[in-house]
Amino acid sequence: MVNDIAQENGLITLARKLRVVDYFTLGWGTMVGVGWLVLMDDWLLRGGPLGGVLGFAIGGALLLPIGYVYGQLVMAMPDAAGEVAYTAKVFPRSVSFATGWMMILAYFIVCPWEAVAVGRIAGYIFPALDSMELYRIAGRPVYLPHVIIGLGLTALLTVLNYRGIRLSATFQNWTAFGTLALFVVFVAFGVGKGSPRNFPPLFTHSGFVSVLLVLQIVPYFMTGYESVAKAAEEASPDFRARGFFKAIWMAIIVGILFYTIVIAAVGYVAPWRELTNEKFMTAVAFERATGSRWIVSLILAAALLSLFKVFNGNFIAASRLFFAMGRRGLVDARVAQVHPQNQTPSVAVVCVGLATAACMFLGDAILVPITEVGSVASAAGWLAACAAYYRMGPAPRERLVAAIGATIGLLMILMKVVPGVPGHFSAYEWLALGIWVGLGIVLRRREAVFQSANVH
């Protein structure tokens, strides 16, 4: 174990306090956020109810081979570096850095997304908060109360993660299981008031294009199961390695069920075509079906809990990966500092918190484009992990699974970056990706120069 070696060398290590249930709520909680409330109109306009269900079901099922590979890798190498550690075994250092940098984007990019989304949800509950406009980005207003709420939540989670992993994991457990409980209640009650007559049209385009347009965003909304690997060094001393594998597969399966059920439920409870211009379409659909305001309150409560857990889960994953890259000398080594009392990657935690606070000032305009860029970033990491496992030369059956996983990851990238494919990257998404890649190149060169100067 990484921690055992570090302790033998007298180094301060990350606290070892996580159990299987903690890894499940981290994996599933990092995966499922508030897209099902905030972006349901986008999902249904992409594919319709059946297109949405098939897109998430197929996309989620395609992740199972990749989840299998991650399970094998994290059992063999319980390293917070995750994909960075796996690729470092068989590929050049530049590939290892590029993989880690893309996965940091996949996790980190969710944090400002949630910081912005909490302001939108608060404004829906209390319309008076949609006031005091500061400026507009891409025609969308940025309100002062939204910014204050988002900054407050960011500060809370930064402090939580700075203080200790057990505190953060307990928060994750309560919010994850609370979300599931409220989800079961409002779906069960709402569906009882729905009708199959509300489903048509089942697709918004042809069947193939509808499913493809939804399939393209699945990597972003299903990213998170592999976050289990980023906290692998924090497993309790009596934790059995097989628990990593179980947590990853449970997260993927429960994620598929959650997304397909909520899309089908929204299409079933109300005539969805009439509601695509409504803010928070999911809540409006259930309110129309039941004629009750209380179900909206229940849905918003579930959304807030879900937002807290996905924000916290991605915060954990991003900070651990950033910390591990610093420890390997891929970025500034100062981010590898471990707090002597809290045993947390304190500098990395603070960096992620400050960067989140800065990015959230972009406001609502970042929401949909971020899902597109995040999908490619996630798929790039999955491709690299599967390719690394294939190169490690496991048994023939496992090499086949790795090859399938790598192919799926590559196809997920191509369907977003190849011109002519419906739903491919726009100029804004290319710009966002280019900025991130450029920043990575600058940081890598700076660190390489610094290390070379120290050697000489």
Side-chain angles (χ1 to χ4, degrees):
M1 296 284 286
V2 173
N3 268 324
D4 296 334
I5 296 171
Q7 286 168 352
E8 289 173 7
N9 293 331
L11 299 177
I12 300 171
T13 62
L14 300 176
R16 300 179 59 182
K17 298 184 177 180
L18 300 183
R19 305 154 301 178
V20 173
V21 68
D22 302 318
Y23 283 111
F24 164 71
T25 59
L26 174 61
W28 179 77
T30 303
M31 183 188 304
V32 177
V34 293
W36 56 272
L37 174 70
V38 177
L39 296 175
M40 182 59 72
D41 56 339
D42 177 66
W43 296 359
L44 289 175
L45 287 173
R46 282 173 180 268
L50 186 55
V53 168
L54 290 176
F56 272 95
I58 294 170
L62 290 175
L63 297 183
L64 290 172
I66 302 175
Y68 176 86
V69 169
Y70 269 96
Q72 297 298 322
L73 286 169
V74 71
M75 284 193 294
M77 288 182 282
D79 190 318
E83 296 84 358
V84 178
Y86 313 148
T87 52
K89 287 283 186 182
V90 292
F91 294 122
R93 192 172 174 85
S94 58
V95 173
S96 187
F97 172 79
T99 301
W101 192 243
M102 290 303 286
M103 287 308 294
I104 285 180
L105 173 63
Y107 297 124
F108 165 71
I109 210 168
V110 177
C111 297
W113 198 104
E114 303 302 337
V116 169
V118 72
R120 290 191 68 192
I121 295 173
Y124 186 80
I125 300 172
F126 305 106
L129 296 176
D130 292 342
S131 61
M132 300 178 68
E133 183 178 323
L134 297 175
Y135 48 85
R136 285 178 176 255
I137 294 181
R140 293 175 178 264
V142 176
Y143 298 114
L144 178 60
H146 291 201
V147 171
I148 292 173
I149 292 169
L151 289 175
L153 180 58
T154 301
L156 171 65
L157 293 183
T158 302
V159 171
L160 199 69
N161 282 279
Y162 187 91
R163 293 292 302 276
I165 188 61
R166 185 65 259 161
L167 187 63
S168 182
T170 300
F171 177 85
Q172 190 76 1
N173 292 344
W174 279 99
T175 52
F177 288 115
T179 300
L180 285 172
L182 293 177
F183 171 76
V184 170
V185 172
F186 78 73
V187 167
F189 188 83
V191 166
K193 306 291 184 178
S195 168
R197 293 193 301 271
N198 294 324
F199 272 131
L202 298 178
F203 300 103
T204 50
H205 307 81
S206 68
F208 175 77
V209 172
S210 295
V211 173
L212 176 65
L213 290 174
V214 175
L215 194 61
Q216 289 173 340
I217 60 170
V218 169
Y220 175 78
F221 290 103
M222 293 289 286
T223 296
Y225 62 90
E226 75 294 326
S227 63
V228 167
K230 312 311 179 293
E233 294 180 33
E234 294 162 275
S236 63
D238 59 347
F239 183 87
R240 294 187 177 182
R242 190 72 183 172
F244 292 129
F245 193 94
K246 292 178 181 177
I248 289 172
W249 269 56
M250 284 172 59
I252 294 174
I253 292 169
V254 176
I256 294 171
L257 292 173
F258 185 97
Y259 282 125
T260 53
I261 289 171
V262 75
I263 292 170
V266 170
Y268 184 80
V269 299
W272 65 272
R273 262 297 193 185
E274 300 174 12
L275 305 177
T276 52
N277 291 324
E278 296 283 351
K279 189 176 183 181
F280 298 147
M281 177 184 172
T282 301
V284 174
F286 276 87
E287 182 180 23
R288 179 173 293 193
T290 62
S292 303
R293 182 68 184 177
W294 69 266
I295 201 166
V296 174
S297 300
L298 198 67
I299 291 170
L300 293 176
L304 284 173
L305 286 178
S306 191
L307 185 151
F308 294 157
K309 70 174 176 51
V310 78
F311 194 165
N312 185 59
N314 279 282
F315 199 111
I316 292 171
S319 59
R320 268 54 180 183
L321 186 52
F322 196 35
F323 153 80
M325 290 183 71
R327 188 174 59 189
R328 287 172 171 262
L330 295 173
V331 295
D332 194 318
R334 286 173 291 185
V335 302
Q337 181 178 325
V338 178
H339 194 283
Q341 283 80 44
N342 299 335
Q343 292 182 272
T344 56
S346 52
V347 175
V349 165
V350 171
C351 286
V352 172
L354 290 175
T356 298
C359 290
M360 67 159 290
F361 281 93
L362 294 173
D364 289 1
I366 70 173
L367 295 186
V368 174
I370 274 180
T371 66
E372 309 285 1
V373 178
S375 288
V376 169
S378 302
W382 301 339
L383 167 61
C386 290
Y389 189 55
Y390 183 89
R391 286 285 300 274
M392 291 175 191
R397 183 179 68 87
E398 295 188 358
R399 291 194 83 185
L400 175 62
V401 174
I404 293 171
T407 302
I408 291 169
L410 178 61
L411 291 174
M412 286 181 170
I413 295 172
L414 292 177
M415 70 182 179
K416 291 305 301 177
V417 302
V418 174
V421 176
H424 66 83
F425 266 16
S426 69
Y428 289 111
E429 280 113 27
W430 279 116
L431 176 62
L433 183 60
I435 290 172
W436 185 257
V437 170
L439 179 60
I441 292 172
V442 170
L443 288 177
R444 184 71 197 105
R445 285 182 176 175
R446 176 183 176 279
E447 188 59 23
V449 169
F450 179 77
Q451 290 176 0
S452 177
N454 282 344
V455 169
H456 296 295

